[in-house]
Amino acid sequence: MGFAAGEKPRRDNGANLEDNTMRVAAGLILAGAMSVAMTGAAWSQTPAAKPAAAAQAAPATTPVAAAPATAPAAAPAAAAAPAAFVNPPPPKQPPQPARAACNTPGALGVARTVEIDTTGGPGFGFEHFKELDFLRDKEVVLTFDDGPWPRNTPAVLKALADECTTGIFFSIGKHATYEPEILKQVYAAGHTVGAHTWSHANLNNKKLTEAQRKDEIEKGFSAVRWALGGISPSPFFRFPALQHPPEMVTYLGNRNVAIFSCDIDSFDFKASKPEKVVETVMKKLDTKGKGIILMHDFQKHTAEALPELLKRLKAGGYKVVAMRAKFPASTLPEYDQELLKDAKLPTVSQRPVNSVVTTVSE
């Protein structure tokens, strides 16, 4: 279509739409800028949110519903892991009497003394425990179980004294309460005293509960302590029949008690005569060359065999090692109290029998 003369052309519809669109866009941009400015001003007047740590520190009266729905409910403090067992500290007590000076020329004697840190319950004796090989070639440790016992234990003490040597005595708790004066003699002579349960129960017996096994161990130590007049023994323990329930091995480790097996078992409780005890020990010892020897001061044949056995050890070039604990055993107060109830009523006098009763004629 043509235009009349002098008429100016008009913008077509597309040009008008583009112009309108530009005006609207400019207005939206201006409105957006004003909105952002106003929102920023509003946020500047709003307090900052509390951090998570502050939220946890809210008073106990804060409703549980205020917590996020996905947050797990907090466990009560009482439902947490049970409190760990805490050992009593080692008792403070006078040092053990020293061994008597040796006046016997050429006696077997004691080659060296070792101190044992029983923390964590170390095990000794290759019959069951292989980790701690501390004995040198031709060295032995003499150990005696099941005492104290009349006649037999004193005979063992005499044989050791005659050769100026020493041993470890693993006492049965009941026997300690029967013969406290004999056990005091063992301690006074400078020998190491440990424990061997309360009644010599086999702790591997499935009929025993875990509580009964612990009772055997703890009451045994408390009985030895009672028999020694309140002096704690060494934290040395031997299982009856060398039966080691794993859970009780762990328990003794937590109690910081060393566990003793052996390297050489004399089988003296099977021997028909003392010569058999000597033969058994020396044959095994000559094969192994060293070791912890297991005997019983409860056995008559052992008491009779010991003088000859010590002579054979000396003739064979063997040397005795004394084992001492770094700290005494920490008995548990509840078992100490139980022992006092079971024992006979104490008297005012605490003097030993030989200072009270004297034979004046015989």
Side-chain angles (χ1 to χ4, degrees):
M1 177 175 68
F3 293 97
E7 183 181 4
K8 293 182 179 180
R10 294 181 299 171
R11 294 180 181 174
D12 58 17
N13 291 338
N16 287 335
L17 179 59
E18 180 181 358
D19 186 54
N20 291 337
T21 301
M22 293 179 64
R23 286 193 180 97
V24 172
L28 289 174
I29 292 171
L30 177 61
M34 293 177 64
S35 176
V36 170
M38 293 172 66
T39 303
W43 273 106
S44 68
Q45 304 301 318
T46 304
K50 293 181 179 180
Q56 292 176 358
T61 55
T62 301
V64 176
T70 56
F85 175 79
V86 178
N87 279 316
K92 295 181 180 180
Q93 57 190 31
Q96 183 175 359
R99 293 187 298 271
C102 184
N103 297 316
T104 306
L108 178 60
V110 176
R112 66 180 177 123
T113 299
V114 297
E115 183 180 84
I116 307 301
D117 183 344
T118 62
T119 303
F124 298 95
F126 269 40
E127 186 73 20
H128 294 91
F129 307 107
K130 312 294 185 183
E131 294 83 3
L132 300 173
D133 185 10
F134 73 97
L135 290 177
R136 303 166 185 165
D137 189 40
K138 291 280 188 176
E139 287 187 337
V140 298
V141 176
L142 306 175
T143 68
F144 303 92
D145 291 6
D146 295 358
W149 205 248
R151 293 183 297 278
N152 299 339
T153 301
V156 168
L157 290 177
K158 182 180 184 307
L160 294 174
D162 288 346
E163 287 293 337
C164 303
T165 195
T166 191
I168 305 174
F169 289 75
F170 293 98
S171 175
I172 293 175
K174 279 188 176 181
H175 291 182
T177 63
Y178 298 160
E179 304 294 340
E181 293 304 320
I182 295 178
L183 194 60
K184 287 185 176 75
Q185 292 171 25
V186 174
Y187 186 81
H191 303 293
T192 299
V193 177
H196 194 44
T197 72
W198 163 247
S199 67
H200 203 263
N202 185 335
L203 299 191
N204 227 16
N205 186 341
K206 302 302 181 184
K207 294 182 180 180
L208 294 178
T209 65
E210 186 171 344
Q212 288 172 324
R213 293 185 178 101
K214 291 178 181 178
D215 288 347
E216 278 286 331
I217 293 171
E218 298 296 351
K219 195 172 180 181
F221 273 106
S222 289
V224 173
R225 181 180 183 274
W226 176 87
L228 291 176
I231 296 293
S232 286
S234 296
F236 291 175
F237 180 84
R238 180 175 271 153
F239 283 95
L242 299 181
Q243 296 291 310
H244 302 79
E247 64 275 15
M248 291 298 100
V249 172
T250 299
Y251 178 75
L252 288 169
N254 291 332
R255 289 282 282 117
N256 297 327
V257 174
I259 306 170
F260 281 73
S261 179
C262 69
D263 298 298
I264 296 162
D265 193 338
S266 68
F267 288 107
D268 51 358
F269 58 94
K270 294 182 177 180
S272 57
K273 53 186 179 180
E275 292 80 9
K276 183 62 176 177
V277 178
V278 177
E279 178 187 342
T280 299
V281 171
M282 293 307 303
K283 184 177 180 180
K284 293 181 178 180
L285 190 55
D286 288 342
T287 299
K288 296 187 176 182
K290 62 180 182 180
I292 297 172
I293 304 173
L294 168 57
M295 297 175 280
H296 298 79
D297 56 313
F298 176 79
Q299 298 292 333
K300 178 182 177 182
H301 288 326
T302 300
E304 294 171 340
L306 196 57
E308 177 62 24
L309 178 59
L310 297 179
K311 290 179 182 177
R312 292 279 297 274
L313 290 174
K314 181 173 60 176
Y318 291 98
K319 299 177 180 180
V320 174
V321 173
M323 298 181 71
R324 298 284 184 266
K326 187 174 183 179
F327 302 108
S330 57
T331 57
L332 300 182
E334 57 267 35
Y335 289 94
D336 293 340
Q337 292 300 317
E338 184 178 346
L339 241 296
L340 291 178
K341 294 177 183 177
D342 290 347
K344 296 177 181 178
L345 291 174
T347 58
V348 175
S349 174
Q350 296 296 318
R351 293 161 56 198
V353 172
N354 60 8
S355 73
V356 177
V357 181
T358 305
T359 300
V360 293
S361 64
E362 192 172 299

